[in-house]
Amino acid sequence: MSAQKDRWVSSFFFLLFCASSIPTRGSARLLQELSPQEYFSSLQAGRASLSYFSHNVSPGAQPFLEQIENSAEALQDYGISVVKVNCPKEDVSRYCVKENALRKAYLFSALLFNEVKYVETLADLQNIENALKGRSNMVFAYVPATGTAEHRAVMEAAFVYGTVHQFVLTTEAVLLKDTSNDKPDVSSARLLFCHCQRTTDLAQPCRRTAMEQALTMLNIHRHLKLMGAPLVTEVTEDPEKVSTVHLQLGLPLVFILSQKETYEADRRTAEFVAWQLLGKAGVALLSRDLVDLNVLLQSNVALKTPDEGVPIKYLVLEDTDEVITLVENKSKVEQIQEDEEEEEEEEDDSEKENNNQDIQDDQVVEAVSRDKKRELPLEQIHALTEETFHSALLETARTVVLFYASWEAVSLAVLRSYTEVADHLKGTRGVLLSRVNCWDWPGICTKENVTQFPAIRIYKKGERSVMYNGMWGTEELTSFIMLSRVSCPLKLATIEEAEGYLRGEFPSELSSYHHTSLLGVFSTATSEAREAFEEAGNILSGHVTTGMYFEDDALALSCKYAVSPPALLLARSGGRSVEGIALSKQSVQDMVQMIRYELLDIFPEITVQNLPRYLQLRKPFLILFSDGDIGQIESKEMLKLAKGRPQQAFVACWLNLRKTPVGRGVLKAYFATMPSLPVLIWVELHAGGQVFKFPSEQSITEMNILSWLEKLKAGLEIPSSTLSEEDWKPPLPAYDFLQMMETAVPELPLHTSHRRGDTPARRPPENPGGDITVQEEPSQDTKAEKVGSPGRDLRGTVPRLAAREKQGKRHSEL
Amino acid sequence: MAPAVCGMLLGLALYTGSLRVVSGAAFLYHDYCIIGAGPSGLQAAYFLQQASRDYVVFERSHAPGSFFALYPRHRKLISINKRYTGKSNSEFNLRHDWNSLLSHDRRLLFRRYSRDFFPDADAMVRYLEDFAALLKLRVQYNTAIVHVTLERNTQAWNGHYFLLTDQDRQNYKCSSLLVATGTWVPNVVNFPGSEYVEGYETVSISPEDFAGQTVLILGRGNSAFETAENILGVTNFIHMVSRSRVRLSWATHYVGDLRAINNGLLDTYQLKSLDGLLEGDLEDLAIIKDKKGKLHITLRFYLENRNTSAGIDSITLPQDELDNFATRAPYDRVIRCLGWKFDFSIYNRSLRMMPGKGNKKKYPQIKPSYESRGTRGLFVLGTASHSVDFRKSAGGFIHGFRYTTRAVHRLLENRHHGVPWPSTVYPITQLTNSIIKRVNEASGLYQMFSVLADIILLRENATAFEYLEEYPVGVLAELEMQTGRKAPNGLFVIIMEYGRNFSGADKDVFYYNRAVGEAQHAWQSNFLHPVIYYYKRLPTEREMRLRPPDWPLPRPDAVHHIVEDFLTDWTAPNAHILPLRRFLENCLSTDLRNFFAESCFLFAFTRQKLPPFCRQGYVRMQGLMGSEGLRRHAVDAGLLEDYTPTDYSGDSPPDSHEGSQDQLLRDHAIPVRPLQHLVNTKDEL
């Protein structure tokens, strides 16, 4: 008791009772004595004060007053003034006449004052409860004795929450028994939250939620916070992004997945569950119609744990009990884990790590190994060997060779696409598809300078081979092989051929094949440009068909397209309009660069396949995301915007979410909820990674976009999100064999620093310049000796005496 | 001709010419002189020829491989000639071809010379003749180098020239001397009565000569057992005696120990069929011939104690005191099969060619770079260089030294011709692959385990790396100087190792659970398996010196073992490649996974940085599109998100066929517990 008293004395809060009689001591007059009028006029807004109303000091109140005086100094530090209001006899104001005024101190916070009501009987409690019904909630606390830590915690909580809830305190065990269903342990403090605000029926008692944790300030605070949170949260955004009080306080959040049709029932379910889980977990109602969820339709419940990085679990549960068991078991498990944490933390961690480490997290490797049992249709693809390789190259005009390794995942993924290419090209004359497994025939691969796989080379009879450097995809590869069939650049002899070439009708091999054609037109004099173009065409072979025309009437041809030779005529696949481009660049590299640039579309539809070409421009992207084709008006406006600025500072493009569904993934990353489509986005891909969304209320017109872009540049717009700057770290740790070795074989002198101390005898000091072999020898010799020594005599055959004497003899000989 | 050459050289290099004039003798000059046209000499010649270097090989015999013309006496080589491996990978197949030398010429594979698993030595002689002839190696036959000395010259590559003298007093001058003479001087022991001992090099190989005889063989090596094997069927009995106990190569993993093919005598000894093995120091022996010509074993000790030079009868025999003395029966013949040693006699003292210590005294002292400890510029090749890995690896045998010879050649190319160690630069995305490729097919790493290592030098920011093959790991600290390559950003060292406590003469190598099947216990692997050491910086010479005993390398910053494999095939995606990738990722602090183009597309729009695979592939327009089937697998595995909108709100997909396929794929996804008993099959076999 005395220890508690000490604490009580030193605490800065007040106590209602003071059973012991401590003699009065002089104390600093921090305690103000005021009359009620003075007091109320001195109350300052926002300042708390502890007031004591007294008619006159009765002997029983003396020790209490003393405590208040003692606490005055401490309380001052907290901005609380301690005031004694002397109630004159005739004063009948509320504070002065109130029953048991002697036993109460009022905490004034600004103009509000709150009190912790002390009750002794059940009737008192019920009265208070009834009075609160429909108005506010009640916090009822039982403490076995006053002056305890729990008592103080309740009072501290009351200081914070007194304005929100009515605090009621008792030390009467009877009250506790009556308020709980089970047999409570009267020796421990207890706190109940009584939801009286919701209760309007006076006949009904307020719902109660007992706090299960020990009565500490922190736990009470946590409990009251949870009680104060809405029973059911309505969620309309990505559940991964949702955060509620529960999660912040380390409790799980249960989502009840709802649909428009069943909303009312779902809401009732959610509320029912919420009551059951009150204080243990939060409950949220998630409408599937509003959130684009990528989960099974049957899922009806989701569980989000407070642990960071743990994805939400979607579940299919039968009834609400399951939900409750789910949460309670989880917390039980967690409780146990917490208890055992200290001893087992490390082990547990390593265990967890190991389990994950073994699981394949490489999408390509996993996909290929899941596909390994399927037999690939390789009949169309010749398997070449060291013996057949060179002869095969001589057989066909074009031989395509895939160099791969049969154990390597990317190779095998490409091999799968390659079989599809073979299927597409079935019956195409003059092309042989073949493969070399570098794991079987490393010699060929080395000789052909294939140092990494997969690699594809196209060998043309009598010409140098071409290394394929495009996307590893069926379409791209097929197109490359098709286009490589025609020599690049193709020399066109007549103006008719040249025109046919531009129309895509010549050469006939490609007439049925959609492709972009590029025609270089040269007057004979411009041979330097022509040579460069020839080389550039060679480099671009397979990616674009190039033709050359340098007959006498070249001028006439080029004039038709408003350019003069040397010039390029570009006929894009699809629309067959021909663009004329003056050829000013002379070096091969510049020309290749220029052609690549010219091949880019002004307002392309961005796809997985073509994005890299535009990424290389290293410019911000202005993308119109669209579900399906974009509208004609938007298309026109965007095209105007793109064309308007020839030296565009950004890539204007659009993305068809139907064709490129991964675009949804992009939008998901940008926005918590899927924006309505179409949506225009500005992404600073290469600088800062900021993402801006064009205001949806504005229509997509060139003018609107331009003024919006102006605002962006001026920094007047707030980015919707910023791309993560995170580095690509190892996804999981590796086995730490070094550590395992040290743990398992502690004597293993792995540490060079240890080693010296551990085994000094084995390693006599040696000349520092010496080498390892010599260094090793002493130990080797001792080993050899050990092995050899039992055989020193003819084991078990020669008299021992003889052996010993012989030893002695030999030594004397030396 | 000699003066003409000399004159030409004089014209080319005046100062060397003038020196010759001063010394007065006529010298034939070559940059490189190789002594010995055995396997290692020819191997070195091949590499020098390929590099168009000025070299000559001196061979005392009229043909290459003269050792093999005589030895092994019973003509059966114990190096395997495995003609079938089920694989066509020529590099891999060299792991099981112990006789071929390295060359580009596919005709020069030993399996074309013999069909026998243990070929006849004549095949080796023919092979070596062809090797020298087909590759047009410059071998000067019938030239026995009888003396080697040094001529100081500050202009010379190594501060001196090597002056060689042949049996006809012809002198040769070389900048670099490659000693490939092997070990051919027979080991002999001297004890009273050793004059009655026949040597392995001259003993009859006709079993008839031993019919009904009792034979004692001195020695416990393969030549001793080979001799015993030959006469086992016709002798009364054979006893073998040597100082050390027999070491079986299948227990020690050292090919120089007793091979199972020669151990027929062990069988008859252990089955009590009169033959026997004894341990004893040969120097304590004495042999006495009685009047009937029978040879009696006694101890030198008894001989020294006898008072007079009386006849045989006065000499105490062990059985006089101990009537059950093992070798009390008299022998008809005693044969010495004690192996060979290096010929130290031809080197002038100034070359300081010192014998090794202890059990390496038959070899000259050399550094792990195969350079003599006494003389710079003198390299020892072949069998004579075995002190580097004696009783450990294969450096004393063709299938080992063909690689160490290549390593020496590469060191010389860098030292004298500024040709750095050959290397290939790869993007970092190829890191896992390049290691997997090498550990699965490289023969040099496999044969010269723990001696030769592949080195991966990291480029700045770990975006690329340089791959060096088969560098002598003992000189790792000198890597930059020896290879001409720089290692400022850390390195990986890839070697093959047996389990540290697995092999050995006394070890039971067939105990249960000897094989490790799980990747997480890979460090306890016992059979030969790849080990990768990671160093943030090149270890120093001091660190190399202070490395833990039995460790080929000092303590690394991290180490990875690829779990041993029954088939020595380390290409399993989850057991071998995945743990390796995790190790490499954690060393480099990066993500080395492969991604489909679609994932790279998503990353390109949602992250400011891309993983290396996307950066080096997709962004450079070489993304991996993947077939639709693979994409589905990745989605099912939960490794790729499917963003295709599932608009149809029905519970089942519209296409029932697709539904069933989905089910199939889901079934696929059920994790399969590893079949424990199959993982560890090694135990059962």
Side-chain angles (χ1 to χ4, degrees), chain A residues 560-755:
Chain A
K560 201 169 155 191
Y561 301 101
V563 280
S564 60
L568 292 182
L569 302 180
L570 176 67
R572 287 182 200 279
S573 66
R576 275 284 159 192
S577 67
V578 176
E579 297 164 41
I581 302 152
L583 203 50
S584 54
K585 299 274 163 48
Q586 302 285 314
S587 89
V588 178
Q589 269 318 309
D590 287 346
M591 205 175 286
V592 170
Q593 201 68 34
M594 189 270 279
I595 293 172
R596 284 219 172 104
Y597 184 79
E598 290 297 338
L599 288 174
L600 296 178
D601 278 331
I602 296 164
F603 177 55
E605 180 198 336
I606 214 78
T607 60
V608 172
Q609 289 92 322
N610 72 11
L611 173 67
R613 282 187 245 158
Y614 295 93
L615 274 182
Q616 292 198 329
L617 300 173
R618 302 199 61 81
K619 288 175 182 170
F621 273 57
L622 180 68
I623 324 169
L624 183 63
F625 286 84
S626 162
D627 190 20
D629 278 330
I630 42 170
Q632 274 193 340
I633 302 160
E634 282 116 355
S635 172
K636 230 166 78 189
E637 291 292 326
M638 289 294 287
L639 200 59
K640 258 200 306 195
L641 179 80
K643 271 186 178 161
R645 276 132 211 89
Q647 294 304 314
Q648 199 60 272
F650 56 89
V651 177
C653 57
W654 67 285
L655 188 144
N656 183 345
L657 288 172
R658 281 177 199 270
K659 205 167 139 192
T660 312
V662 66
R664 276 177 207 279
V666 176
L667 289 178
K668 269 187 186 175
Y670 291 169
F671 306 104
T673 51
M674 195 71 175
S676 58
L677 298 169
V679 61
L680 186 64
I681 308 283
W682 174 273
V683 202
E684 289 281 356
L685 279 186
H686 305 283
Q690 289 182 328
V691 178
F692 297 92
K693 177 172 168 278
F694 182 72
S696 52
E697 62 276 9
Q698 289 187 36
S699 57
I700 296 171
T701 64
E702 187 190 5
M703 288 319 294
N704 284 348
I705 297 169
L706 281 177
S707 67
W708 177 61
L709 290 180
E710 282 305 314
K711 271 196 256 172
L712 286 191
K713 265 180 213 140
L716 299 175
E717 293 283 319
I718 299 156
S720 306
S721 69
T722 305
L723 306 190
S724 161
E725 235 185 321
E726 216 182 316
D727 279 319
W728 287 84
K729 292 287 174 198
L732 284 170
Y735 300 127
D736 191 348
F737 287 136
L738 210 53
Q739 199 211 322
M740 287 185 213
M741 286 159 124
E742 275 164 0
T743 325
V745 199
E747 70 272 18
L748 197 73
L750 268 173
H751 286 287
T752 33
S753 50
H754 287 178
R755 210 198 57 74

Side-chain angles (χ1 to χ4, degrees), chain B residues 194-416:
Chain B
S194 59
E195 64 272 20
Y196 306 123
V197 174
E198 297 170 78
Y200 170 78
E201 53 283 3
T202 54
V203 73
S204 162
I205 54 166
S206 163
E208 291 92 78
D209 294 347
F210 296 86
Q213 294 191 346
T214 305
V215 179
L216 179 69
I217 296 175
L218 308 178
R220 185 61 53 84
N222 277 301
S223 64
F225 276 92
E226 164 208 320
T227 306
E229 190 85 17
N230 185 45
I231 56 174
L232 200 56
V234 295
T235 49
N236 299 335
F237 54 81
I238 304 168
H239 286 164
M240 294 180 99
V241 60
S242 82
R243 181 204 315 243
S244 58
R245 44 169 299 184
V246 64
R247 273 188 298 267
L248 299 163
S249 76
W250 49 257
T252 58
H253 296 118
Y254 174 64
V255 290
D257 286 332
L258 177 60
R259 302 286 303 286
I261 180 177
N262 279 335
N263 69 7
L265 187 124
L266 292 183
D267 203 45
T268 55
Y269 166 51
Q270 293 290 357
L271 297 175
K272 294 311 283 177
S273 298
L274 298 175
D275 301 320
L277 292 178
L278 298 153
E279 282 82 30
D281 198 328
L282 297 180
E283 303 209 349
D284 297 335
L285 282 184
I287 294 177
I288 301 158
K289 197 174 200 168
D290 69 11
K291 288 165 191 145
K292 290 180 221 150
K294 300 273 185 189
L295 302 170
H296 294 264
I297 302 299
T298 186
L299 299 171
R300 188 194 277 251
F301 166 68
Y302 291 118
L303 257 66
E304 284 157 355
N305 275 7
R306 80 189 158 153
N307 34 18
T308 58
S309 58
I312 167 93
D313 301 334
S314 70
I315 296 165
T316 320
L317 295 175
Q319 54 266 43
D320 298 342
E321 285 176 1
L322 189 79
D323 59 8
N324 67 344
F325 179 61
T327 54
R328 59 189 181 274
Y331 298 96
D332 294 302
R333 307 176 91 145
V334 179
I335 307 166
R336 159 179 57 75
C337 306
L338 296 170
W340 298 268
K341 61 185 179 196
F342 181 74
D343 179 13
F344 289 94
S345 68
I346 61 170
Y347 304 95
N348 184 284
R349 285 177 64 89
S350 61
L351 274 83
R352 288 176 293 168
M353 285 289 267
M354 301 295 288
K357 293 183 185 129
N359 58 10
K360 292 180 187 170
K361 64 173 182 279
K362 55 181 167 177
Y363 302 119
Q365 281 189 16
I366 53 172
K367 300 177 190 174
S369 60
Y370 299 89
E371 190 164 12
S372 161
R373 285 192 179 279
T375 311
R376 191 178 149 84
L378 190 158
F379 286 83
V380 179
L381 307 175
T383 304
S385 70
H386 197 21
S387 63
V388 169
D389 59 337
F390 183 56
R391 288 214 177 124
K392 284 184 192 141
S393 205
F397 312 92
I398 293 176
H399 66 282
F401 63 62
R402 59 189 181 201
Y403 305 103
T404 57
T405 301
R406 178 160 66 188
V408 168
H409 172 250
R410 287 171 174 167
L411 295 175
L412 290 170
E413 284 291 299
N414 177 58
R415 186 193 282 187
H416 299 309

